Every structure is written in C-alpha cells, then in structure tokens.
C-alpha cells in the first residue's frame, strides 16, 4: 500500500487540481478544526482517523495514537464538534485495545491512508454514501473492533442493529452540534475475509479475519431514509477504483474555478475551495425520496441538502456557492425553503437527516437567492416565515442588530409577495435598529467597548458588532455623524487592531470602505488578511490576548489558521476563496459584489452550460493590490461592483493594478446599501 506521497517535479505544475489540495491544512488543534478524512463533495459520509488527543473533527495531525476510523465529520464547527459515528478499529489477536501508533500517513481529496508501528496498514475511500476500508495485517492474526455507539463528545443517543453472516445493518441516533437536536442515519456494513462476527457488548462487535487472511475489507453504505437504501449504496468496487472515482469527483468540482498564478497561492486557494465544498450534505436518494426535519418521508424531483451552519456560512460559503455553483445552488435554496415548510428551528430539530448546527438568517439567505434569480416559493412558506420573524430575539445588543437584519429581509420578501401591510410592519421593525444602535453602539468612549461579551454580546465586542448593519450602511453613516466621522471611526477600529478574523461577527467590516469615498482601503485590507502579516488581538475563546498574535492568518499547513479560528463549515475558507477572485458580497440579500484585485494573474469561472466568466489582471504583479482601472467586456468600468447577473452571463473583467492607490476609481458610482421606505 503506497502511503507516502511521490516526490514531485518542482520545475512543473501538476496537471491535476487535486494534487494542489492539502487536506491536512487546519487539522492541528484549534487552528481550523478540519479533518483529512476521505470525502467527496457534499457527502455526509467521510471516513477518516480518530486520534487521541483530537480536535473537533476527531483528528489531531501531530498525534501518534489512533482510536480507529469514523464515518461522519462536520468540518470546523464549535461546541467540540459533531459527528464521529461508527468507530472501526483494526486489531490484532482479538484485542480491542490493540495499540495503533502512526508511522506515516498520506491523503488527498477522496482517500486517506496510514501505516502503524505494529505492521497494520489502513486505507479508505468514498463516493456518495458509499465507502471502503482496506486493512492489511501483513501476516498477523487480524480483525476489527466495531463500536456502533461511538460519537464525538458523548453525543450518542441510541442504535439498533442486526447481524447476518458477514453483514451488519442498523440505524443510529446522535445528538448534533451543542446537543441541540438529533440526527438519524441508516447503514449497511459488509465485511470481506471475515470468519465470524461476535457481539462483545451492547454496542460493540469484534470481527475475526479468516485464517491466513492478510487483508480485510469493509464496505459501508449510508442513507438518511432507510436501511434498504443504505444497502443499495454498496458497490462491487475495488479500493483503487473507488479512489479514482472519488478523485474524479473532486477534480470536476474544483475545476469549476481555474486560477493561474504563483504555485503557493494556487495550492492555498484549492485547499480552501476544497473546504468550501464539504457541506451541506445531499440527503435525498436518487429517486427523490428524502427525510424532512419533522420526521416524515417526502419526495422531490430535485436534490435535497441538509447539515446547516447558516449563522456562520450565510456570510461567505453560501454566496460563494451561489456565484460559482449555480447548478447546485438551486437545490440548496429549495432545501433551505423546506426548513420552513417542515418545522425549522434556530438550531437543530429532533429529526435531522444529517449533522447540523444552526439556521439563523435563513430569511436573509432566501431573499439573497431570490434577488440573484433563484426560485423561492414565498407563498408556500409564508406562515412559517412570519412565525420565524415574530420570534426574533432582541434580548441583547448584538441580537437586536441581527434581528433587525432579518426583519429587513422579511420586509423585502413580503414586498415581493405583494403584502404591503406586512412589508411596512417588518420594515418598521428593521428601522428600529437605529434606536438600539444609539443606545449601545454610538458611544465608543465607554470603558467596555473593547471587552469580549460585554453587555451580553455573543463572541464579540461592542466595537466589532457596531458595524453590523449591512442592510443600511447609508443609515449607519448618518448615525455615526456623517461619512467623514464614519471613516474616522472605521480607521480607528483597524488602527487599534479591534478587528477579529478568528470569528464571524465583524467579518464584513474590512469591505465597508467599498461603500465610502475610500474604497482603496478595502483593497489593502483584503490583501493583508489573505496573505500578509496581521495583528490579531481577539480570539474565538472570548479572550483579548495580552500578547496579540502577529503573523499570517491563512497558512497552508496543519496549524493553518490563527489560534481558535474555526472554519465553521466552509465559512472562513470561502472568505479567502471569494477575495482571491477579487469578489466580495456587498450585502447578503442584494445581488451585488464589490471588486478588488485578485491574487492571481488569470481566473475563469467555468459554468456547466459553456459560459465562462474570466477575470484577468492586465499588468500582473503579485505584490500589487490596488485597482488602477477596470473594464468589463471591453467597456470602461468606473464602479467598484458587479451584479450576480453580470457575472453569470459570462464575459471578461480586466483589472489593471498598481503599487499605489488610485483614489478616484470606484468613488463616483458607489453601491451603498440603504433602506428606502415605500408604501
């Protein structure tokens, strides 16, 4: 079993995008909370290592001791993670306590392989809801220990299984992230070269290998619907062929965006794009059968997704999917709409079909989708939308601003629906943000404005949350005392290192200069956060460091992010991906993207129907990040923004960069979010 990467010719770039992906990025400690598990795009099944000690996905890159291999991993989320179901451990002499100490490991998109000191070799690969483990015992008397009750953070609830010859099938219920709800999935395991399966405890099994059998295989199928569908997932495939199939799936997904530039930047880009394509998970079967979040079985003509972290990734990952993967995003939007149709909660329900986190701001996502041209059946879910809006939380200063954002989006949806009464009701509620802002966020001379969790804030400070009015930046400027005062306070915010890239609450703030007369400052900030040295004083453990971190935030190594910075289901990786392309959402809910200098010479977003949107830097210099001028399809572009429609119809954006800022470009035609009250 080849578990060591082959040496590469440093003089030439690999022809395969998957070779650029470092699946170990962010897999050490609290520096991303990611896993090198074998996965395919949007697949709930990901098979990978569980180490001792481990991070939130069950793995620690620098740990030597392995507990075995598990089958579900929700990447980069908090509350000590989610998933970690069905532990399978290769053992010797029927000893479930066999010590597994890593010698070396090798992984790329779609597979994971490792060698242990006791001579056991392990390899695993997947395609959608089907996986293969392959264990080589190298002549020793081997077998498997299977723990059906295994899950991260003691989140196992219950399981039922049956054994028939060399097959195990069953159903497992597990608490999802933060113990907020319960997800259920069904499975079928088929074992090859196994003589006998013995039950040694209520949830524990030992499978003995046949005499003189050097190799044991595990074939496993998943379904969110039933054991029968899980059984149908089992393929008659070799490990090597499955590995090739998984690689091809990743190659297709990653090649949606082509970039040309410095090799280290390409590698970092694709390693992070890879993270943005892990979830949400496809939970419907090929015939359209799927489980709704109320526990019922439903039917669809499309594809249904689950496994949400919307409070985090509505800011970056979902917009990235909407612009680069519109063929997939249509079904993702329908799946979010379905949350309202079948009993959405802010966190998880008791009938989730996959590990999930939370769904706040789904109203904003639906408005964003509608305005980007995706279909949203507002009438179908109107009553549930109203129920969600009526239960918005205004109990803390940050919640008041976030709920105002939802009410703004709700007002727009009601306007689209033609309901003038509800439109005016929710718009008035949205405008109440001004009262809350004046009360808690206007005065920045108070002594607690830089203190984490002051006044009941969630994972942030007054300084960080005071900018959270993305739907009415024009109104925010007026509250601050006009644009000049707004800019002065924004400058102070960054000058004093109050910005926190370790978490999401102020993630949009570096882009706010785009909505002012100084857009060049966003151009500078984006490049610093992506590739340069930053001072980071705040962390995701609600601390303000005495000794701030000074260095790069994004690095292509196991300690890939700054301390305590979680990827949060593709949020932070997608932030990097979008700004690498020179695009960033102006306001989720409006189909507008601000422009800045890409970090590559050439970029293509290659749409399935043959259209291509190209971005080219005319006078490329890797260290130039200010925009001198731009053209769109040969026409001079003086504005610093594009719409979703302009990008999706294809064409070419040419950006000329410079070493110094052009303080006139992008100033005369600004796009600034604003509430215009209509009756």
């Amino acid at each position: 079993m080849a578990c060591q990467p082959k040496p590469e010719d440093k003089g030439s770039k690999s022809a395969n995008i998957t070779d650029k992906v470092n699946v170990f990025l962010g897999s050490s400690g609290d520096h991303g909370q990611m896993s090198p598990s074998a996965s395919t795009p949007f697949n709930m099944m990901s098979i990978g290592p569980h180490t001792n000690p481990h991070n939130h996905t069950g793995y620690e890159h620098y740990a030597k001791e392995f507990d075995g291999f598990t089958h579900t991993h929700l990447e980069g989320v908090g509350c000590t993670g989610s998933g970690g179901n069905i532990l399978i451990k290769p053992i010797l002499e029927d000893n479930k306590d066999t010590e597994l100490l890593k010698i070396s490991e090798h992984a790329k998109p779609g597979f994971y392989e490792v060698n242990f000191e006791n001579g056991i070799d392990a390899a695993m690969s997947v395609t959608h809801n089907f996986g293969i483990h392959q264990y080589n015992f190298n002549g020793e008397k081997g077998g498997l220990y299977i723990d059906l009750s295994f899950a991260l953070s003691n989140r196992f609830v219950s399981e039922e299984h049956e054994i028939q010859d060399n097959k195990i099938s069953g159903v497992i219920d597990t608490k999802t992230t933060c113990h907020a709800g319960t997800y259920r999935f069904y499975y079928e395991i088929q074992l090859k070269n196994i003589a006998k399966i013995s039950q040694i405890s209520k949830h524990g099994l030992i499978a003995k290998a046949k005499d003189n059998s050097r190799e044991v295989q595990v074939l496993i199928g998943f379904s969110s619907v039933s054991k029968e569908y899980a059984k149908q997932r089992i393929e008659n495939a070799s490990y090597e062929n499955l590995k090739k199939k998984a690689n091809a799936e990743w190659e297709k997904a990653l090649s949606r965006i082509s970039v040309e530039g410095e090799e280290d930047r390409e590698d970092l880009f694709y390693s992070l794009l890879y993270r943005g394509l892990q979830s949400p998970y496809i939970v419907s079967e090929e015939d359209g059968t799927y489980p709704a979040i109320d526990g019922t079985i439903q039917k669809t003509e499309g594809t249904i997704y689950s496994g949400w972290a919307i409070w985090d990734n509505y800011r970056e990952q979902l917009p990235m999917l909407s612009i680069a993967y519109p063929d997939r995003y249509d079904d993702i939007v329908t799946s979010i709409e379905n949350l309202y149709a079948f009993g959405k909660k802010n966190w998880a329900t008791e009938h989730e079909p996959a590990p999930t986190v939370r769904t706040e701001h789904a109203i904003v996502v639906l408005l964003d989708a509608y305005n980007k041209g995706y279909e949203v059946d507002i009438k179908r879910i109107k009553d549930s939308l109203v129920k969600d809006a009526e239960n918005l939380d205004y109990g803390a200063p940050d919640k008041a601003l976030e709920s105002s954002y939802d009410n703004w989006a709700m007002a727009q949806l009601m306007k689209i629906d033609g309901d003038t009464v509800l439109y005016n009701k929710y718009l008035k509620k949205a405008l109440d943000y001004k009262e809350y802002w004046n009360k808690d966020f206007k005065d920045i001379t108070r002594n607690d404005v830089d203190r984490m969790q002051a006044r009941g804030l969630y994972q942030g400070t007054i300084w960080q949350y005071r900018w959270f009015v993305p739907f009415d930046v024009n109104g925010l400027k007026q509250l601050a005392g006009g644009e000049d005062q707004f800019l002065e306070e924004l400058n102070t915010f960054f000058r004093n290192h109050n910005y926190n890239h370790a978490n999401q609450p102020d993630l949009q703030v570096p882009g706010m200069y785009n909505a002012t007369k100084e857009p060049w400052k966003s151009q500078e900030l984006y490049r610093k956060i992506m590739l340069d040295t930053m001072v980071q004083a705040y962390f995701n453990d609600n601390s303000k460091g005495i000794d701030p971190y000074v260095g790069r935030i994004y690095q292509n190594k196991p300690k890939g992010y700054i301390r305590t910075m979680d990827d949060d289901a593709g949020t932070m990786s997608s932030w990097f991906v979008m700004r690498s392309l020179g695009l960033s959402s102006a306001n989720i809910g409006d189909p507008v993207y601000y422009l800045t200098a890409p970090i590559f010479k050439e970029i293509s977003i290659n749409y399935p129907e043959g259209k291509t949107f190209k971005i080219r830097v005319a006078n490329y210099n890797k260290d130039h990040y200010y925009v001198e001028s731009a053209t769109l399809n040969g026409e001079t572009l003086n504005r610093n923004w594009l719409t979703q429609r302009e990008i999706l119809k294809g064409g070419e954006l040419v950006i000329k960069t410079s070493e110094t800022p052009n303080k006139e470009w992008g100033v005369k035609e600004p796009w600034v979010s604003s509430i215009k009250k209509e009756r």
Side-chain angles (χ1 to χ4, degrees):
M1 184 181 302
C3 288
Q4 291 295 328
K6 295 178 181 178
E8 295 180 3
D9 178 5
K10 294 297 181 183
S12 62
K13 294 182 180 180
S14 170
N16 295 323
I17 293 175
T18 50
D19 288 337
K20 300 177 184 294
V21 176
N22 175 13
V23 300
F24 294 103
L25 189 159
S27 65
S28 176
D30 202 353
H31 296 271
Q33 304 288 2
M34 301 183 223
S35 164
S37 297
S39 68
T40 50
F42 309 102
N43 183 3
M44 182 175 71
M45 179 186 287
S46 60
I47 309 178
H50 190 95
T51 65
N52 183 21
H54 57 80
N55 69 19
H56 289 10
T57 62
Y59 175 82
E60 161 57 54
H61 181 70
Y62 295 105
K64 286 189 65 177
E65 182 181 354
F66 279 47
D67 293 330
F69 305 92
T70 59
H71 297 76
T72 53
H73 305 85
L74 185 52
E75 298 281 334
V77 299
C79 278
T80 64
S82 184
N85 293 107
I86 308 182
L87 179 81
I88 295 182
K89 177 183 181 180
I91 60 175
L92 299 175
E93 302 292 338
D94 300 335
N95 178 13
K96 75 181 186 70
D97 296 320
T98 296
E99 190 174 49
L100 298 176
L101 298 176
K102 175 178 70 178
I103 296 177
S104 62
E105 62 187 341
H106 178 41
K108 286 288 183 183
F111 75 90
Y112 175 86
E113 299 172 352
V114 61
N115 312 113
F116 296 112
E117 289 182 7
N118 58 11
I120 298 175
D121 298 332
M124 50 219 63
S125 184
V126 299
T127 186
H128 182 65
N129 277 353
F130 169 62
I132 295 178
H133 303 233
Q134 188 163 282
Y135 298 104
N136 193 318
F137 297 99
N138 293 306
E140 298 295 325
K141 183 180 179 182
L144 303 172
Y145 170 63
I146 303 171
D147 184 353
L148 299 172
S149 66
F150 199 86
L152 283 166
S153 302
N154 299 311
R155 296 210 166 101
F156 170 75
V157 175
S158 64
E159 67 92 9
E160 295 177 7
H161 69 272
E162 57 180 335
I163 303 169
Q164 186 176 9
D165 298 325
N166 69 333
K167 299 176 183 178
I168 310 160
S169 60
V171 57
I172 295 176
D173 288 336
T174 311
K175 284 293 180 183
T176 193
T177 315
C178 306
H179 284 81
T182 304
Y183 64 93
R184 165 173 286 193
F185 69 93
Y186 302 84
Y187 67 91
E188 164 114 346
I189 297 172
Q190 297 180 9
L191 305 176
K192 290 188 175 181
N193 292 335
I194 290 295
K196 181 183 179 183
I197 301 174
S198 302
Q199 185 128 3
I200 62 168
S201 65
K202 186 175 181 181
H203 308 295
L205 313 170
I206 283 185
K208 294 184 180 181
K210 290 180 179 178
D211 291 341
N212 302 318
S213 179
R214 293 174 56 85
E215 190 173 275
V216 167
Q217 272 198 345
V218 179
L219 310 183
I220 181 166
F222 266 14
S223 172
S224 294
V225 177
S226 71
K227 288 189 288 186
E228 290 71 25
Y229 281 109
K231 183 178 180 179
Q232 291 173 20
R233 282 292 172 185
I234 304 289
E235 298 180 18
N236 183 21
S238 70
Y239 169 72
E240 288 299 328
N241 283 340
L242 192 66
K243 186 175 167 181
K244 290 176 183 177
K245 185 176 180 180
N247 178 269
E249 289 183 46
W250 275 117
E251 194 71 25
K252 180 181 179 182
L254 295 168
S255 65
R256 176 60 59 87
I257 306 176
S258 305
V259 298
E260 181 184 330
E262 282 66 37
E263 188 171 2
D264 61 333
R265 292 185 182 181
E266 290 183 14
D267 292 350
L268 181 57
F269 174 84
Y270 283 115
S271 297
L272 294 173
L273 177 59
Y274 169 78
R275 292 298 170 187
L277 304 180
Q278 299 285 334
S279 63
Y281 309 121
I282 296 171
V283 295
S284 55
E285 297 295 336
E286 291 178 1
D287 64 2
T289 306
Y290 72 95
I293 58 171
D294 64 353
T296 62
I297 300 299
Q298 302 290 331
K299 200 93 166 180
T300 181
E301 293 183 359
T303 301
I304 296 297
Y305 292 77
S306 185
W308 307 107
I310 297 178
W311 184 87
D312 302 288
N313 59 24
Y314 87 97
R315 309 164 198 258
E316 299 295 339
Q317 189 235 12
L318 293 179
M320 187 269 287
L321 295 178
S322 81
I323 198 71
Y325 299 85
D327 47 323
R328 222 180 249 283
Y329 199 66
D330 211 19
D331 286 329
I332 290 174
V333 171
T334 299
S335 302
I336 294 173
E337 181 186 306
N338 266 0
L339 296 176
Y340 287 96
F342 294 105
K344 174 188 174 295
K345 291 187 176 180
N346 276 349
W347 289 67
T349 71
E350 289 303 318
H351 300 284
E352 294 292 329
T356 197
V357 187
R358 52 199 300 189
T359 62
E360 296 102 321
H361 300 311
I363 296 175
V364 175
V365 175
L366 292 178
L367 174 65
D368 188 66
Y370 181 90
N371 283 334
K372 287 176 176 176
Y374 294 99
E375 186 175 338
V376 179
D377 189 346
I378 298 171
K379 290 191 184 301
R380 175 192 178 216
I381 58 171
K382 184 173 180 179
D383 289 347
S384 296
L385 285 168
V386 169
K387 181 180 178 182
D388 199 14
E390 292 300 319
N391 287 301
L392 289 170
D393 183 2
Y394 279 78
D398 56 326
K399 289 292 186 183
L401 295 186
E402 291 199 45
S403 295
S404 297
Y405 191 11
D406 285 332
N407 272 317
W408 167 79
M410 185 65 178
Q412 308 312 308
L413 289 174
M414 294 302 98
K415 181 181 178 182
I416 293 163
D417 186 55
D419 192 327
T420 305
V421 173
L422 287 183
Y423 164 70
N424 283 301
K425 173 183 177 178
Y426 291 116
L427 193 65
K428 182 179 183 301
K429 283 189 173 184
L431 284 165
D432 285 346
Y433 86 83
K434 296 181 179 182
E435 175 187 336
Y436 294 100
W437 196 90
N438 281 325
K439 175 179 175 291
D440 272 300
F441 296 103
K442 186 177 183 65
D443 185 357
I444 48 177
T445 66
R446 293 171 64 176
N447 63 7
D448 66 347
V449 294
D450 64 345
R451 190 183 308 155
M452 293 291 283
Q453 296 186 294
R455 307 181 211 172
L457 299 177
Y458 177 70
Q459 296 183 334
T461 67
I462 293 293
W463 257 119
Q464 290 155 14
Y465 270 107
R466 77 190 303 265
W467 312 101
F468 195 79
V469 192
F471 57 96
D472 189 20
V473 171
N474 185 58
L476 184 60
K477 287 181 186 180
Q478 294 172 14
L479 289 176
E483 173 143 328
D484 288 343
Q485 182 62 29
F486 178 83
L487 278 168
E488 177 55 36
E489 293 177 2
L490 200 54
N491 292 339
T492 300
F493 177 71
F494 286 104
R495 184 169 56 244
N496 293 343
H497 311 300
N498 281 317
Y499 174 65
N500 180 12
H501 201 76
N503 209 340
Q504 284 84 33
D506 57 352
L507 207 56
Q508 85 286 358
V509 185
M512 294 187 79
Y513 286 108
N514 282 311
T516 73
K517 60 187 177 183
E518 297 180 340
W520 58 272
K521 289 185 176 178
S522 284
Q523 299 163 24
E524 179 181 316
L525 271 169
Y526 283 158
R527 186 62 64 95
K528 283 179 67 67
I529 297 168
M530 282 192 286
L531 298 173
D532 208 343
T533 293
M534 285 286 291
V535 176
Q536 184 71 43
Y538 292 90
F539 300 94
N540 198 16
D541 57 4
N542 297 313
S543 68
K544 182 180 181 183
I546 297 172
D547 295 316
Y549 168 83
V550 181
R552 278 185 60 167
I553 291 176
Y554 290 94
Q555 301 183 74
N556 196 1
K557 60 185 186 181
K559 292 186 185 296
Y561 292 171
I562 55 175
R563 180 179 66 82
T564 77
M565 178 177 158
D566 297 342
D567 193 45
D568 281 319
T571 304
M572 307 308 281
S573 48
S574 298
W575 186 98
F576 184 96
V577 166
M578 288 292 286
R579 283 147 191 82
S580 295
L581 305 179
L583 302 171
S584 58
S585 294
N587 171 47
I588 314 304
D590 286 300
V592 177
Y593 299 87
Y594 287 129
L595 299 177
T596 189
I599 67 171
F600 301 107
K601 183 178 181 179
E602 291 190 4
I603 295 162
S604 292
I605 306 177
N606 309 302
Y607 294 113
E609 64 273 18
K611 292 180 183 176
T612 300
F613 185 73
K614 293 183 179 293
I615 305 171
R616 182 166 59 87
V617 179
N619 59 329
Y620 181 73
N621 182 307
K622 70 180 181 66
D623 296 321
H624 291 178
Y625 45 79
Y626 293 114
V627 177
E628 176 68 29
S629 61
T631 63
L632 179 65
N633 300 323
E635 299 290 328
T636 298
L637 187 72
N638 291 317
R639 53 186 162 95
N640 65 330
W641 52 273
L642 293 178
T643 65
Q644 176 98 354
R645 179 174 294 181
E646 287 174 313
I647 295 170
L648 288 185
K649 73 179 181 181
E652 184 178 51
L653 172 70
V654 178
I655 293 177
K656 183 179 179 181
T657 58
S658 62
E659 187 177 6
T660 57
N662 176 358
K663 297 184 179 181
E664 300 300 318
W665 185 80
V667 174
K668 293 181 181 178
E669 299 177 58
W671 191 91
V672 185
S673 62
S674 179
I675 290 183
K676 296 180 177 67
K677 189 169 174 58
E678 301 173 16
R679 291 191 179 274

